[in-house]
Amino acid sequence: MKDSKRDFIPFSLYDRTGMAAHLEKRAAQGWLLDRVTAFGWHYHRISPKTLHFAITYYPKNSEYAPGPSEAQLTFQDFCAHTGWELAAAFGPHQFYYNEGEDPVPIQTDPDIELAQIGKAFRRALPIYIFFLLLGLYMGCAWLWTLVNRPIDLLSSAANLFTGLCWIFLFVYFAADLTTYLLWRRKAKAAAQLGEFVPTHGCHRVMEAWVVLAALGLVYWLLNDRTPGLWFFLASFALVTALLYVATNHTKELLKRRKTPAGVNLSVTWALNLVLSFLLMGAVMYGLIQGVRSGAFSVDNSPPPLALSDLAPIPAEDCEVTSSVSRSTLISRAQYWMHTSSAVEDYGSLTYTVVDVHLPWLYDACLNQLLHEKDDLGVFEEAVEPASRYGYRATSPAPWGAEKAWQLYSPEGRALEDYILCWETRLVVFEPNIDDWTAERMALAGVQLAPA
């Protein structure tokens, strides 16, 4: 039988009611809190009993302080005389328990408690503001991309995962800040009557975010076939773990040596910055070397259509660069081909194949492709041009496609750039080959059509 256990519940900083209720529930199950760290709450086994818990706030306390201050020790002695024993302390929180049936409350003045919680929250407010602004910016950028460039976003499991994480993070901090402000307004009104108001935090929102983030990560790992992805994620996880262990051990070592909190904080964060720079530098160096050596090549599968299929050159004289991104929603493969410098130049070939796995996304993807050339060359004009590059419907018959569009210049000149459409596939085809014939169109259409 285990004699200890851990909890990791992301209670809101101000949610004294939720924390007390949880600790009382654990005591009834036979677990008593004895330590709180960044890894969670640690309990030791006891005989199941009814205990009362109270969470008090001491905003001046720091997790970098070598020990409790004289004021804290005095307060703890006062609480002990009234039956309240200190179970644990972490940051501004102090966790007390009492075995009495109807103990006298530790805090009897709601104004004092409101001021203490307010000071503790103001210290955390910069973090709230930072993540609110960052989450808002990243979330809005993600939504803009979803609406205007769905292929870029939905073909990448990584973009889906990170975008949803930013949105959920913004939702949590916005909900937690709003909940605190609403509680504070009620608590201020109740304090004038000498009454306390229970708190209601947002830890359920955070728990839901963690679950969704975990599911999103699984989705990313199952769908992303990018070589080197596992190396990067494993390296990032290892670096994060090493940073945490090194900084946490440094902090605890300095606390045991009675180093002042300010010095401890400065040394710990300086170490954190130096190690972050060195370790992430090592990871990036490994990635760069992997890319140069070809270990992280994007895709090794042959393209559906090669330049050598359309021009009289051997396949070995055709240089190919590709980029492939896939998800359960959309797959996109981009190919760039040209003849090597050692042989006669027969032109080049560029095309993008987009496979849409959900029919209701088809029109949005087609709309993106039709408007990708809208701003082509606009930056070269001193004033807004009267007309722009744009695609016009053309006959799909030479390609064997279902629909086709051809690109036209602002002057109305037809260019050899096309969008070809099948039921589940879209192809942006941009050949740069002399003597572009109907036979080559038909061959390209056969090779690029979905199987």
Side-chain angles (χ1 to χ4, degrees), residues 258-312:
K258 306 300 181 182
T259 305
V263 176
N264 190 337
L265 176 63
S266 300
V267 171
T268 301
W269 276 98
L271 176 65
N272 197 347
L273 290 174
V274 172
L275 286 178
S276 297
F277 178 79
L278 294 176
L279 292 174
M280 288 308 299
V283 172
M284 295 308 299
Y285 176 80
L287 284 174
I288 293 172
Q289 293 301 314
V291 171
R292 289 178 175 176
S293 66
F296 300 153
S297 57
V298 175
D299 194 77
N300 293 320
S301 59
L305 176 68
L307 181 59
S308 58
D309 296 329
L310 304 175

Side-chain angles (χ1 to χ4, degrees), residues 214-229:
L215 293 175
L217 180 60
V218 171
Y219 171 82
W220 176 18
L221 297 178
L222 291 178
N223 284 273
D224 201 313
R225 297 294 184 268
T226 304
L229 174 64

